[in-house]
Each structure stands twice: as C-alpha cells, then as structure tokens.
C-alpha cells in the first residue's frame, strides 16, 4: 500500500546533486549467492575469480579517472579487508548516506556478508583526509535485531529539493525503518509503493527502476500496481520531466543513473554504457537537457553484481573543510 507520512521539518539543505562521491575498489568482487536470492539482475559466469576481479578493477579505475576528469570529486575508499570477503563492496551506496549538515548515517543491510561492508571508522577517516569531515553520526543498525532492513539509497530514491523519499517496499526496504530515517533527516514526505517483476517478485532496489534529478525523473512505472502508479507519477510530474522506461530498458540499467555536479557546478548524468545504448534518441535528448551524459563500461560489474553505475556511487553531501588540518 502506498504510504505518505508528514514529518517534522529540520534545517537541512535542499541541494539535489552531490559534487563528490565515494567509490570502493572491487578487490573482493565476485558473484554473491546470498544477494542473488532476490536480485534477478545477477548472473554467474564461467570466468575465474581472478579474471573477474581484474576486469572489474579495470572498469572501476576507468570510471574513477573519467569522473575526476570532468570535475567530480571521487574519494576512493580502499577499505580494510576482514575475515569475511565482501563481494558487493563496490556498491557502497547501500550502507551509508550523508547530509549537507555534516551527518553520516549507517544502515541495516539484509545479507550477512553485505553487513561486513559497514566500516564506519575507516570511512570517516577517509572522508576526513579528503577534506569532507563528518560532524556527527547516526545509525539504524539496531533494526537488525528485528530483522528489519533499509539499504540506504539503494532502496530510497530521494527528491532532496522537495524533501520527498520514494521507495519500493521489499525485504530490503522495511516501512518502519524507512519512516524512522525520514523523520531523523526531517523530510516531510515518504512515498512508498509495491512493485512486481514478471516473476512476481518485488524490485530488490528502487534505484534500478527509477532515478531522480533536479528537473527530471526516469522511472519504469509498469512494475508499480496501477492504483499506486498514478499517484507516484502525479507526485513526480509536479516539477519533474518524467521519462518512462520499459521493462527491457530497466533490465539494461536505464533506471540506475545519477545526476551529479562538477566542482564548477556543471550538471552531469552518470550511467553505464549499456544504459546509454538502451535509451532511445529522444530519451537521450531529454536527459541531455539536464546535463552532460557520462556513459561508463561496467559490463562485468553489472552482469555479475546485478548493480550498475549509480550503485557504485556513494553521494557525499558533507561540506568541504574550510580550515586546514
């Protein structure tokens, strides 16, 4: 059932786009059998683990270099390895989020081996070194005791300008945790809804079916039940250009894109090469009016990991340090 919640306001910036992102090298990347139980975008391959990691690292390094070249600050979080490998660590946007007030939030993820990715102290140190200090921390990890989950901006697609969170409910997106987070950051509206793939299963992460930019939204609305779909589209269309994508386009990660800003304030839209190729010429023209399109070849990471470019980008809204260390 679609749910809205009125929340208390909080003094929070309403900047839509980050000009800095955290990216995590895929040094332990592999097919994750745990997440594959509800992620239909993952595929097993015949290549060896070392071959897969070499290809994934090439894709990662190229993406980092090209983002930096256009003027997006990239903080590479070369996380400390633990006893349990973290094959999905390349997708850091699922376990943390940041705000323009200097807050860092950490989130309860559904899969045990993904919970090993949460390395708060190391991330705080890395952000500090990059000139993006964390001022305060808050955590929703206690919800793991209730077996309740909220996988950050994987399951929440956020319209910061209108202080509205859109979320497809699933085992990775619990309504109670979702509304708790919205209240903590002072966002007034939560629009949660059901989804169904042809298999009957829900979308595992909202950010594979929709993306919100400053003046546009890309959405695969056909996976939303009709009675909820109309409300969601009406809400988005108030001040966004709504670009509807097909199920086939969603499967090529056209929904898994992210609008960013360069340090000079120019708008760019990061996406995979497969998404770029799947958009129609008319859709590319629409998107180009909102920023320069930046396609990256992440075929290995997409195919095996079941996530794409947006999943690889942990937005950093933390203010830049104004005084030297």
């Amino acid at each position: 059932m679609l749910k809205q919640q009125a929340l208390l306001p909080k003094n929070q910036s309403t900047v839509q786009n980050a000009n800095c992102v955290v990216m995590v090298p895929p040094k332990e990347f592999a097919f994750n059998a745990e997440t594959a139980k509800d992620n239909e975008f993952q595929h097993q391959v015949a290549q060896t683990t070392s071959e897969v990691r070499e290809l994934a690292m090439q894709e990662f390094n190229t993406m980092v270099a090209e983002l930096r070249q256009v003027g997006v600050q990239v903080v590479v979080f070369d996380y400390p390895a633990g006893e349990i490998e973290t094959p999905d660590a390349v997708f850091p946007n699922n376990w943390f989020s940041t705000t323009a007030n200097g807050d860092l939030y950490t989130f309860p993820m559904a899969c045990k081996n993904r919970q090993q990715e949460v390395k708060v102290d190391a991330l705080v140190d890395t952000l500090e070194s990059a000139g993006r200090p964390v001022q305060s921390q808050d955590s929703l990890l206690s919800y793991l005791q209730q077996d309740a989950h909220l996988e950050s901006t994987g399951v929440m697609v956020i319209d910061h300008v209108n202080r509205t969170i859109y979320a497809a409910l699933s085992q990775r997106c619990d309504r109670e945790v979702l509304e708790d987070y919205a209240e903590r950051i002072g966002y007034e509206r939560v629009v949660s809804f059901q989804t169904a793939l042809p298999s009957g299963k829900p979308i595992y992460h909202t950010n594979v079916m929709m993306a919100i930019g400053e003046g546009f939204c890309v959405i695969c609305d056909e996976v939303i039940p009709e009675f909820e779909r109309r409300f969601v589209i009406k809400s988005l269309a108030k001040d966004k250009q709504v670009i509807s994508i097909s199920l086939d386009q969603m499967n090529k990660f056209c929904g898994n894109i992210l609008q960013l800003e360069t340090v000079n304030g120019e708008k760019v839209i990061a996406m995979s090469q497969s998404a770029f190729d799947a958009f129609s010429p008319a859709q590319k023209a629409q998107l180009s009016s909102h920023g320069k399109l930046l396609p990256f070849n992440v075929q290995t990471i997409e195919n095996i990991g079941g996530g794409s470019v947006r999943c690889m980008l942990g937005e950093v809204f933390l203010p830049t340090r104004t005084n030297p260390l």
Side-chain angles (χ1 to χ4, degrees):
M1 179 178 178
L2 188 141
K3 176 80 172 177
Q4 290 188 78
Q5 171 113 354
L7 302 168
L8 296 173
K10 181 180 178 180
N11 181 24
Q12 180 107 335
S13 171
T14 53
V15 173
Q16 179 65 33
N17 303 316
N19 61 12
C20 176
V21 292
V22 167
M23 294 183 66
V24 177
K27 60 186 182 183
E28 296 180 323
F29 183 71
F31 180 83
N32 189 344
E34 279 191 44
T35 55
K37 293 174 184 176
D38 68 339
N39 181 348
E40 297 184 15
F41 294 79
Q42 291 178 233
H43 301 93
Q44 288 184 292
V45 295
Q47 294 150 299
T48 65
T49 299
S50 60
E51 289 171 337
V52 164
R53 288 178 183 170
E54 183 178 354
L55 289 169
M57 195 64 78
Q58 289 172 4
E59 294 171 358
F60 172 86
N61 289 333
T62 299
M63 186 170 158
V64 169
E66 292 182 1
L67 281 168
R68 286 174 170 167
Q69 188 172 19
V70 300
V72 176
Q73 183 184 0
V74 179
V75 178
V76 174
F77 178 43
D78 192 3
Y79 65 99
E83 292 182 9
I84 300 174
E85 285 200 346
T86 52
D88 283 333
V90 72
F91 305 132
N93 80 308
N94 300 144
W95 69 265
F96 77 89
S97 72
T98 61
T99 74
N101 289 345
D103 309 315
L104 174 73
Y105 289 84
T106 48
F107 294 85
M109 292 195 289
C111 296
K112 296 291 186 185
N113 63 5
R114 293 220 63 189
Q115 292 166 15
Q116 304 300 315
E117 297 171 30
V118 182
K119 302 179 190 297
V120 180
D121 292 344
L123 178 61
V124 169
D125 289 345
T126 299
L127 289 167
E128 174 74 31
S129 298
R132 300 279 182 155
V134 172
Q135 301 300 323
S136 64
Q137 296 181 37
D138 196 1
S139 172
L140 292 96
L141 294 177
S142 61
Y143 278 104
L144 288 173
Q145 298 168 18
Q146 303 174 32
D147 199 29
H149 312 106
L150 186 71
E151 297 195 342
S152 190
T153 52
V155 297
M156 297 183 292
V157 176
I158 305 177
D159 179 355
H160 293 288
V161 174
N162 293 305
R163 302 160 75 88
T164 301
I165 299 175
Y166 293 85
L169 298 173
S170 69
Q171 69 164 351
R172 305 198 194 194
C173 182
D174 179 271
R175 192 197 307 277
E176 179 186 352
V177 194
L178 171 66
E179 292 176 355
D180 184 1
Y181 173 69
E183 187 170 8
R184 293 187 195 201
I185 65 170
Y187 275 24
E188 289 86 3
R189 292 182 70 232
V190 174
V191 180
S192 57
F193 49 89
Q194 302 294 333
T195 59
L197 293 166
S199 65
K201 292 183 179 180
I203 292 282
Y204 82 104
H205 275 165
T206 315
N207 74 5
V208 296
M209 62 160 288
M210 70 182 293
I212 291 177
E214 200 169 63
F216 72 93
C217 172
V218 171
I219 182 167
C220 182
D221 51 301
E222 67 181 271
V223 301
I224 306 174
E226 186 177 355
F227 74 96
E228 295 185 321
R229 183 188 315 158
R230 289 193 296 268
F231 185 92
V232 174
I233 296 299
K234 183 179 179 181
S235 176
L236 291 165
K238 286 178 182 176
D239 63 350
K240 310 287 183 196
Q241 180 180 34
V242 177
I243 302 170
S244 182
I245 57 173
S246 67
L247 191 66
D248 182 60
Q249 287 179 308
M250 183 189 72
N251 288 334
K252 293 180 171 63
F253 294 100
C254 288
N256 199 242
I257 68 177
L258 183 64
Q259 187 181 40
L260 298 166
E261 286 190 14
T262 70
V263 289
N264 296 322
E266 297 165 340
K267 306 286 194 303
V268 296
I269 303 175
M271 64 183 66
S272 70
Q273 187 66 50
S274 59
F276 180 85
D277 292 343
F279 279 118
S280 71
Q283 289 170 328
K284 288 177 189 175
Q286 288 176 312
L287 287 169
S288 294
S289 70
H290 299 283
K292 179 182 179 181
L293 306 188
L294 298 179
F296 302 101
N297 180 358
V298 291
Q299 184 177 1
T300 306
I301 293 170
E302 274 183 334
N303 188 41
I304 298 170
S308 188
V309 163
R310 195 277 170 265
C311 302
M312 296 170 66
L313 301 170
E315 294 156 286
V316 178
F317 290 101
L318 301 168
T320 304
R321 184 174 51 241
T322 54
N323 54 323
L325 286 172

